[in-house]
Amino acid sequence: MDHRQHKGHHHSHLIDPSIVTHERGLWVAKWSFVILIVAGFAQLVIVFMSKSVALMADTIHNFGDAATSIPLGIAFLFARLKPNRKFSYGYGRVEDIAGVAVVLLILSSGCFAGYEAVQRFLHPEKVGHLGLVAGASILSFLVNEGVAVFRIKVGKEIGSAALVADGYHARIDGWSSLAVLVGALGVYFGFPILDPIT
C-alpha cells in the first residue's frame, strides 16, 4: 500500500533543531562538570598532602567552575520546554538567569580563596611535595584549557552566549592555575611567601 494514500496522516523524521541545540548544551554542561570535579578532587588530595594555599585556592576555584555547569544545565533543561500561556516565548531567557548565577558562584569561590590566602599570611605553614604541587598546577591548566575549548566551540555552534562566556572564564582560570607553579618554584628557591601571594 502506498504510504502517500494515508491522507490526514503526517509525520516527520526531522528533529526540531532547538531540541538538538539544548541537548548539546546539556551534554557540554554535564561533561564540563564531570571533568572539573574529577580534576578538583585530584587537586584536593595534593592540597592535604602539601599544605599549599595557592593550590587550595586553585582547587576551590575549580570546584566553583564545576558548579557553574549546574545553572547552565538547568537553563538548557528549561529551554527544552514548549511555550505556554504563561511563558508564550518559551523558557530561553532562563539562560540569562543562569549567567547571573555563574557570576555569583565565581565571586563566592574567589572570596573564599582570598580569605584562605589571608589566613595563611597570618598563620604560615610549611609547604611540601612541591613536585606534586607543580604537577597539579600544570594539570589544572590543561584541564581548564580543554574545558574552555569545549565550551567555546559548542557555545558558538548553538548560539549560547552564557556557554561561550563560561568557556572564556575557564581559559582565564587555566592561565591563573599556572600561578600555583610560580608559588611552588618560589618555595623551592627559599621564598615561601610566594605561595599565599600567588
Side-chain angles (χ1 to χ4, degrees), residues 72-171:
L72 284 173
I74 292 169
F76 286 122
L77 279 172
F78 267 98
R80 292 183 347 180
L81 299 175
K82 299 287 184 192
N84 55 42
R85 289 182 67 184
K86 191 170 183 181
F87 297 97
S88 57
Y89 291 99
Y91 293 84
R93 285 302 203 179
V94 175
E95 190 178 337
D96 295 338
I97 298 169
V100 173
V102 165
V103 171
L104 292 174
L105 282 166
I106 292 165
L107 177 64
S108 60
S109 65
C111 289
F112 184 67
Y115 170 79
E116 290 298 325
V118 170
Q119 289 301 305
R120 185 56 59 89
F121 272 119
L122 299 174
H123 310 286
E125 287 188 45
K126 184 173 175 162
V127 179
H129 300 283
L130 297 177
L132 288 176
V133 173
S137 168
I138 294 166
L139 173 67
S140 182
F141 167 75
L142 294 174
V143 165
N144 275 289
E145 180 59 23
V147 167
V149 170
F150 188 38
R151 287 175 172 173
I152 292 167
K153 181 177 182 297
V154 177
K156 285 181 177 177
E157 287 172 1
I158 67 175
S160 170
L163 197 54
V164 172
D166 213 28
Y168 282 116
H169 170 243
R171 174 162 286 161

Side-chain angles (χ1 to χ4, degrees), residues 47-66:
V47 166
F48 283 119
M49 292 171 62
S50 67
K51 307 293 186 191
S52 168
V53 74
L55 185 60
M56 181 198 300
D58 192 52
T59 304
I60 291 165
H61 209 91
N62 279 340
F63 278 122
D65 287 349

